[in-house]
Amino acid sequence: MKTRQPQHPTEPTLWTNFKRQSIQEAVIQLMCREGLKSVTMERVAQEVGIAKGTIYLHYRDKQQLLDEVKESALAPLHARLHEILGGDNSPAEKLEICANRHLAYFDERKELFRILLYEREVARVQGGRYQSERYRRLVREVSRVIAEGIEEGALRTIDPEKAATLFVEGCVAMVNYRLLHDQGDSVDQDARMIANVFLRGVSAAEDLSPTFVARQKVRRK
Amino acid sequence: MKTRQPQHPTEPTLWTNFKRQSIQEAVIQLMCREGLKSVTMERVAQEVGIAKGTIYLHYRDKQQLLDEVKESALAPLHARLHEILGGDNSPAEKLEICANRHLAYFDERKELFRILLYEREVARVQGGRYQSERYRRLVREVSRVIAEGIEEGALRTIDPEKAATLFVEGCVAMVNYRLLHDQGDSVDQDARMIANVFLRGVSAAEDLSPTFVARQKVRRK
Amino acid sequence: MKTRQPQHPTEPTLWTNFKRQSIQEAVIQLMCREGLKSVTMERVAQEVGIAKGTIYLHYRDKQQLLDEVKESALAPLHARLHEILGGDNSPAEKLEICANRHLAYFDERKELFRILLYEREVARVQGGRYQSERYRRLVREVSRVIAEGIEEGALRTIDPEKAATLFVEGCVAMVNYRLLHDQGDSVDQDARMIANVFLRGVSAAEDLSPTFVARQKVRRK
Amino acid sequence: MKTRQPQHPTEPTLWTNFKRQSIQEAVIQLMCREGLKSVTMERVAQEVGIAKGTIYLHYRDKQQLLDEVKESALAPLHARLHEILGGDNSPAEKLEICANRHLAYFDERKELFRILLYEREVARVQGGRYQSERYRRLVREVSRVIAEGIEEGALRTIDPEKAATLFVEGCVAMVNYRLLHDQGDSVDQDARMIANVFLRGVSAAEDLSPTFVARQKVRRK
DNA sequence: TATGAATGAGCATTCATTCAT
DNA sequence: AATGAATGAATGCTCATTCAT
């Protein structure tokens, strides 16, 4: 990274941070207004009102810029979720609050959802892995909460990581849905729905017995 | 002239289709191995072992090529799901079979999952909308099946479209999961898990009473 | 060139000529309808209803095709002009008839004017020379007629080649004018106008005395 | 930002203009040496000694570059002609001075004649019309001067626009001729010849009576 | 002869990145 | 630090020409 040696211990960092912030905002604006293709260094600089070259004083290259945009766009959400999942509530409560916060976050900053989608695009390509480190951490934490719930006997025995994946993707799906269908349902309503469906789905109540699949097996291509 | 007189009535079409097929395969290979950015007409041609210009004998431009790749990669799956959802089984059965087929499809052709992700990428940018027509159709059909389930009293009253979105995304999430974590769980097991979680989640049984969210409201940032 | 050895002394040549003719017509059609840029071997073949490769059985390459199109499009006109200029009329008469025929030729086959313009384009580039052989021959013949007129005392002493150039270009200009302004003036009227202006201009009558240019000399940039 | 604060108020514009100038010169050079087909952005850049991309800092695309080349190559001439035609001389004088300036302009910058030809090429294809706006304006102005001459009684009654076309094309033809035949005739001589031929041709003196065309009518194909 | 699939050199254009000022 | 002119590799696409059938 850029090791910086400010002449005045505090000010340059503030100023520097402000500029980095501005640049990142510009990337987000551009991404939302005109799509990923329009995010060129030129356009970003224009948007901020600085010269193209200046961006390179703050970011090694375009990739690093985009990475940091993604990073800092989602950091607050993940921090919040981390806090919730590490809190004192019951697993069930944690999950509902998580869903709630998730929906609320993107409700307040709708632009950021684009970043979420972008994250998948790059994550897929770059590391050969399909998900960002951040995403995996989230799933791991949810997973742990679910494991707690199982231990407590509130949830039935189920692969916690798979369940966590289902839950997280359910949240993302709902964010997406809310963005697309601008019906008036409140964040709370929808969060409760997710939590409800998921928690009943994994609750310790008796199993439904869907043995019907066996019958279908024959049909397989 | 445009009148073709194939020596063997079927061969020319077969041959042509084979070439188109080869090109599409190359696109998929490239997409998987090196990501969307690496899918250039040049590289695709190289991969197939033909000249750049030859691709243009089969596809008007790059966009059309990518569209058809997406199309033919996902068409069989969607056709199958369409068939299942329109069949005679109970809603619950339909959904489990759907999940099962979904997982199985990508289990057999793991490369195609990348296409699934790509689909979202383009859909997002192109139409200003975030999902492809095909995806929306699937959700609509699942949604109808859920509505049936509700009418029959098997499922509780819930927004069918939101529920359908959760279900479909759950399936996709599981496909993704299976790709990443190559543990030995069978398609059937995982499909049953999805169905189980989802169907319990939306079953007509009594509601859980998660009123705990209200207590949390104060904490809002 | 293509030396051809027809199996039947007459027929193949006829057939061959017919095809060459068709191809040339197609080039002209295309040039007129859609401009030079649209004259691709593909489009030409399409227009004729044959395969792209077939054209190459008749013409070595695109350049040769275009050259021959130009050649045969203008050949009849030039043959006619040649005949007129070599005839028995007086120089003045010859020139007026020439102008008349010139205008009439393009009045009847308006498409060909495009070829005339094209001729200049290629002539300029190809040989490093600016005009086609054919054009030069025409100017030479007109020039000879003017020289005759001078000898006879009908025209005043003037550089015959320059005068010829003026005359020929005057004709071309009028063809162009007629094409652009579709007013009803007859070919005869306009031909007479050209001849009139030109012949008076070069007639043996006393010189105008425009010494006014000398006065202007100072102004030169 | 876009606010420029030149250190020396004039320099940046000068430098920028110099580069634009260089690029345009290169286009002209190339056009003359090797023809329009050789005017590729690559070759132009090579000629100037800059990178291909640099051209795009000065011109939006190839079309704009060519347009500006044409524009600035012919603008000074047309400005001069405009000035002359709008001046205080008699119509006859104006025309001779025009012819003189016309010839002189291309005598001094022989390369530019190619542009003149190019202008026709594009004008023809692009607008569906055959002439550039600039050319039409010139003809219109000459036309007006001729109309004046007619009113004054100096010229006989004749279609002013047709006559103007003949005159302008006569000038162009002479420029062309001078370029091709590098005989020593001075600009003044040739300009006087054009003016002489044209002015006598359209002077108010008695008409020649060339009724001989009627006799020829029979011969028509 | 005729075909038309295949070729690949060639072109205009974009854009991340560098570097002299 | 900041600039922005310059770069040139990379890309999508075209089209004259070839050649196996």
Side-chain angles (χ1 to χ4, degrees):
Chain A
M1 303 282 176
K2 297 252 144 191
T3 43
R4 318 181 126 276
Q5 13 179 353
Q7 293 166 336
H8 306 291
T10 59
E11 209 219 40
T13 300
L14 277 179
W15 177 238
T16 286
N17 278 347
F18 172 68
K19 278 178 300 184
R20 289 175 67 91
Q21 187 75 18
S22 306
I23 293 171
Q24 295 195 10
E25 291 287 355
V27 171
I28 292 174
Q29 289 301 322
L30 230 38
M31 237 167 153
C32 296
R33 270 211 317 274
E34 315 185 27
L36 184 54
K37 268 179 359 201
S38 292
V39 181
T40 69
M41 297 306 261
E42 180 67 52
R43 301 277 276 112
V44 171
Q46 233 171 65
E47 191 83 11
V48 188
I50 60 178
K52 205 173 3 175
T54 307
I55 301 180
Y56 286 87
L57 297 178
H58 298 281
Y59 301 92
R60 192 178 353 89
D61 57 15
K62 194 184 181 185
Q63 195 55 58
Q64 200 196 51
L65 170 57
L66 292 180
D67 287 350
E68 294 206 15
V69 164
K70 193 187 65 186
E71 197 65 16
S72 54
L74 300 182
L77 170 63
H78 283 255
R80 190 77 181 85
L81 297 182
H82 174 73
E83 187 188 344
I84 292 164
L85 292 167
D88 294 329
N89 290 301
S90 72
E93 285 171 327
K94 284 177 178 175
L95 293 179
E96 184 178 343
I97 302 171
C98 252
N100 195 288
R101 290 294 79 205
H102 210 138
L103 266 53
Y105 188 76
F106 291 105
D107 240 53
E108 286 156 15
R109 305 206 56 192
K110 293 187 201 296
E111 336 83 71
L112 296 186
F113 185 65
R114 294 259 181 159
I115 310 298
L116 198 59
L117 293 180
Y118 165 69
E119 176 177 50
R120 302 188 173 191
E121 168 67 9
V122 274
R124 162 166 51 118
V125 173
Q126 289 202 315
R129 297 194 129 278
Y130 301 84
Q131 291 148 342
S132 73
E133 177 48 40
R134 189 189 290 302
Y135 177 87
R136 277 197 298 279
R137 200 177 338 133
L138 174 60
V139 170
R140 221 179 306 127
E141 286 181 338
V142 171
S143 170
R144 211 172 303 139
V145 167
I146 290 174
E148 279 176 42
I150 294 173
E151 270 174 39
E152 289 176 11
L155 306 183
R156 71 189 150 101
T157 304
I158 196 177
D159 182 322
E161 204 176 342
K162 282 181 186 167
T165 301
L166 286 183
F167 176 75
V168 172
E169 288 298 320
C171 290
V172 172
M174 188 60 81
V175 167
N176 195 357
Y177 186 92
R178 289 177 61 82
L179 235 64
L180 257 50
H181 312 70
D182 227 346
Q183 48 189 91
D185 293 9
S186 76
V187 164
D188 291 349
Q189 257 177 300
D190 285 344
R192 187 165 320 142
M193 175 187 164
I194 294 177
N196 232 324
V197 169
F198 183 74
L199 291 174
R200 288 157 136 269
V202 297
S203 75
E206 86 295 345
D207 204 10
L208 299 181
S209 52
T211 53
F212 44 76
V213 166
R215 278 177 272 142
Q216 291 295 333
K217 278 297 153 58
V218 201
R219 272 229 244 165
R220 284 232 183 142
K221 190 179 68 181
Chain B
M1 303 276 189
K2 275 291 157 208
T3 44
R4 315 180 106 274
Q5 15 179 352
Q7 292 164 338
H8 308 291
T10 56
E11 214 212 40
T13 302
L14 278 179
W15 177 239
T16 286
N17 278 349
F18 172 69
K19 280 176 300 182
R20 288 174 71 91
Q21 188 73 20
S22 306
I23 294 171
Q24 295 196 9
E25 293 287 356
V27 171
I28 293 174
Q29 288 301 322
L30 229 40
M31 240 168 153
C32 296
R33 263 209 323 276
E34 314 184 29
L36 183 55
K37 270 179 356 202
S38 291
V39 181
T40 70
M41 296 309 260
E42 181 67 53
R43 302 273 281 110
V44 171
Q46 250 173 47
E47 189 82 12
V48 189
I50 59 177
K52 205 176 0 178
T54 307
I55 301 179
Y56 288 89
L57 296 179
H58 298 281
Y59 301 93
R60 192 172 358 81
D61 57 16
K62 192 183 182 185
Q63 194 53 59
Q64 201 197 50
L65 171 56
L66 292 180
D67 286 351
E68 292 206 16
V69 165
K70 198 184 63 184
E71 192 66 16
S72 53
L74 300 183
L77 171 63
H78 283 254
R80 188 78 181 84
L81 297 183
H82 175 73
E83 187 188 345
I84 292 164
L85 292 167
D88 294 329
N89 291 299
S90 73
E93 286 170 326
K94 284 177 178 174
L95 293 178
E96 185 180 342
I97 302 170
C98 253
N100 194 288
R101 291 292 77 205
H102 211 138
L103 267 53
Y105 188 76
F106 290 105
D107 241 52
E108 288 156 15
R109 307 206 54 193
K110 294 187 200 298
E111 335 83 71
L112 296 186
F113 185 63
R114 297 263 180 152
I115 309 300
L116 199 58
L117 295 180
Y118 164 68
E119 179 177 47
R120 300 184 177 195
E121 169 68 9
V122 271
R124 162 167 50 119
V125 174
Q126 289 202 318
R129 297 195 129 274
Y130 301 85
Q131 291 150 343
S132 73
E133 177 48 41
R134 190 191 291 302
Y135 176 87
R136 278 198 297 277
R137 202 179 335 133
L138 175 60
V139 170
R140 223 179 303 127
E141 284 181 339
V142 171
S143 173
R144 213 172 301 140
V145 167
I146 291 174
E148 278 176 43
I150 296 172
E151 271 176 38
E152 290 177 11
L155 307 182
R156 73 189 148 99
T157 303
I158 195 174
D159 182 322
E161 205 177 341
K162 280 181 187 166
T165 300
L166 287 182
F167 176 75
V168 171
E169 289 297 320
C171 289
V172 172
M174 188 59 80
V175 167
N176 196 359
Y177 187 91
R178 290 177 59 83
L179 236 62
L180 257 49
H181 310 72
D182 226 346
Q183 47 189 93
D185 293 8
S186 75
V187 164
D188 290 350
Q189 258 177 301
D190 285 344
R192 188 165 320 144
M193 175 188 164
I194 295 177
N196 234 324
V197 169
F198 184 75
L199 290 174
R200 287 156 137 270
V202 297
S203 75
E206 86 293 347
D207 205 8
L208 300 180
S209 53
T211 53
F212 45 76
V213 166
R215 279 177 270 144
Q216 291 294 334
K217 276 299 152 56
V218 199
R219 276 228 241 164
R220 284 240 182 135
K221 192 176 69 179
Chain C
M1 303 281 175
K2 297 251 144 193
T3 43
R4 319 184 125 275
Q5 13 179 350
Q7 292 166 336
H8 306 290
T10 59
E11 210 219 42
T13 301
L14 278 178
W15 177 237
T16 286
N17 278 347
F18 172 67
K19 278 177 300 186
R20 289 175 69 91
Q21 188 73 17
S22 306
I23 293 170
Q24 296 195 9
E25 291 287 355
V27 171
I28 293 174
Q29 288 302 320
L30 230 39
M31 238 168 154
C32 297
R33 269 210 317 274
E34 315 185 27
L36 184 53
K37 266 179 1 201
S38 292
V39 181
T40 69
M41 297 306 261
E42 180 67 51
R43 302 275 277 111
V44 170
Q46 233 172 65
E47 191 84 11
V48 188
I50 60 177
K52 204 173 5 176
T54 306
I55 300 179
Y56 286 87
L57 296 179
H58 298 280
Y59 301 93
R60 192 176 355 87
D61 57 16
K62 193 184 182 183
Q63 196 52 61
Q64 200 197 51
L65 169 57
L66 292 180
D67 286 351
E68 294 206 16
V69 164
K70 192 186 65 185
E71 197 66 15
S72 54
L74 301 182
L77 171 63
H78 283 255
R80 189 78 180 86
L81 297 181
H82 174 73
E83 186 188 346
I84 291 164
L85 292 166
D88 295 329
N89 291 300
S90 74
E93 286 170 327
K94 283 178 180 175
L95 293 178
E96 184 179 343
I97 302 171
C98 254
N100 195 288
R101 290 294 79 204
H102 211 139
L103 267 53
Y105 188 76
F106 290 105
D107 241 52
E108 288 157 15
R109 307 205 54 193
K110 293 187 202 295
E111 335 84 69
L112 296 186
F113 186 63
R114 294 259 181 158
I115 310 298
L116 198 59
L117 294 180
Y118 165 70
E119 175 176 50
R120 301 187 174 193
E121 168 66 8
V122 273
R124 161 168 51 120
V125 173
Q126 289 205 313
R129 296 196 130 275
Y130 302 85
Q131 291 148 343
S132 73
E133 177 50 40
R134 190 190 292 299
Y135 177 87
R136 278 197 298 277
R137 200 180 333 135
L138 174 59
V139 170
R140 221 179 305 129
E141 286 181 338
V142 172
S143 172
R144 211 172 301 141
V145 168
I146 291 174
E148 279 175 43
I150 295 173
E151 270 174 41
E152 289 177 11
L155 307 182
R156 71 189 149 102
T157 303
I158 196 175
D159 182 323
E161 204 176 342
K162 282 181 187 167
T165 300
L166 288 182
F167 176 74
V168 172
E169 288 298 319
C171 290
V172 172
M174 189 59 82
V175 168
N176 195 358
Y177 187 93
R178 290 178 59 83
L179 236 63
L180 258 49
H181 311 71
D182 226 346
Q183 47 190 90
D185 292 10
S186 75
V187 164
D188 291 349
Q189 259 176 301
D190 284 344
R192 188 166 319 145
M193 175 189 164
I194 294 176
N196 233 324
V197 169
F198 183 76
L199 290 174
R200 286 156 139 270
V202 296
S203 75
E206 86 292 347
D207 206 9
L208 300 181
S209 52
T211 52
F212 44 76
V213 166
R215 277 177 272 143
Q216 291 295 333
K217 276 299 151 58
V218 201
R219 272 229 245 167
R220 283 234 183 141
K221 191 177 72 181
Chain D
M1 301 284 188
K2 276 291 154 207
T3 45
R4 316 180 105 275
Q5 15 178 352
Q7 294 164 336
H8 306 288
T10 55
E11 214 213 38
T13 301
L14 277 179
W15 177 240
T16 285
N17 278 348
F18 172 68
K19 280 177 300 183
R20 289 176 69 92
Q21 188 73 21
S22 305
I23 293 171
Q24 295 196 10
E25 292 287 356
V27 171
I28 292 174
Q29 289 302 322
L30 229 39
M31 240 167 152
C32 296
R33 265 211 321 276
E34 315 184 29
L36 183 54
K37 270 178 356 200
S38 292
V39 181
T40 70
M41 298 307 261
E42 180 66 53
R43 303 274 281 110
V44 170
Q46 249 173 48
E47 189 82 12
V48 189
I50 60 177
K52 206 174 359 178
T54 307
I55 300 179
Y56 287 88
L57 296 178
H58 298 282
Y59 300 93
R60 192 176 355 84
D61 56 16
K62 193 184 181 184
Q63 194 54 58
Q64 200 197 53
L65 170 56
L66 292 181
D67 286 352
E68 293 207 16
V69 165
K70 197 185 63 184
E71 192 66 15
S72 55
L74 300 182
L77 170 63
H78 283 255
R80 189 76 181 85
L81 297 182
H82 175 73
E83 187 188 345
I84 292 164
L85 293 166
D88 295 329
N89 290 300
S90 74
E93 286 170 326
K94 283 178 179 174
L95 293 178
E96 184 178 344
I97 301 170
C98 254
N100 195 289
R101 290 293 78 206
H102 211 139
L103 266 52
Y105 188 76
F106 290 106
D107 241 52
E108 287 157 15
R109 306 207 54 195
K110 293 188 201 297
E111 336 82 72
L112 296 187
F113 184 63
R114 296 266 180 150
I115 309 300
L116 199 59
L117 295 181
Y118 163 69
E119 177 176 49
R120 300 185 177 192
E121 169 67 9
V122 271
R124 162 168 50 119
V125 175
Q126 289 201 318
R129 297 194 128 277
Y130 302 85
Q131 291 150 342
S132 73
E133 177 48 40
R134 190 190 290 300
Y135 176 87
R136 277 196 297 277
R137 202 179 334 133
L138 175 60
V139 170
R140 221 179 304 128
E141 285 181 339
V142 171
S143 171
R144 212 172 301 140
V145 168
I146 290 174
E148 280 176 43
I150 294 173
E151 271 175 38
E152 289 176 10
L155 306 183
R156 71 189 150 102
T157 304
I158 195 174
D159 182 322
E161 204 176 341
K162 281 182 187 167
T165 301
L166 287 182
F167 175 75
V168 171
E169 289 298 319
C171 289
V172 172
M174 187 61 80
V175 168
N176 196 357
Y177 186 92
R178 290 177 60 83
L179 237 63
L180 257 49
H181 311 72
D182 225 346
Q183 49 190 94
D185 293 9
S186 75
V187 164
D188 290 350
Q189 258 177 301
D190 285 344
R192 187 165 321 142
M193 175 187 163
I194 293 176
N196 234 323
V197 170
F198 184 76
L199 290 173
R200 287 158 138 266
V202 297
S203 75
E206 85 294 346
D207 204 10
L208 300 180
S209 51
T211 53
F212 43 77
V213 166
R215 279 177 271 141
Q216 291 294 334
K217 277 297 152 59
V218 201
R219 273 231 242 163
R220 284 236 182 137
K221 190 175 69 179

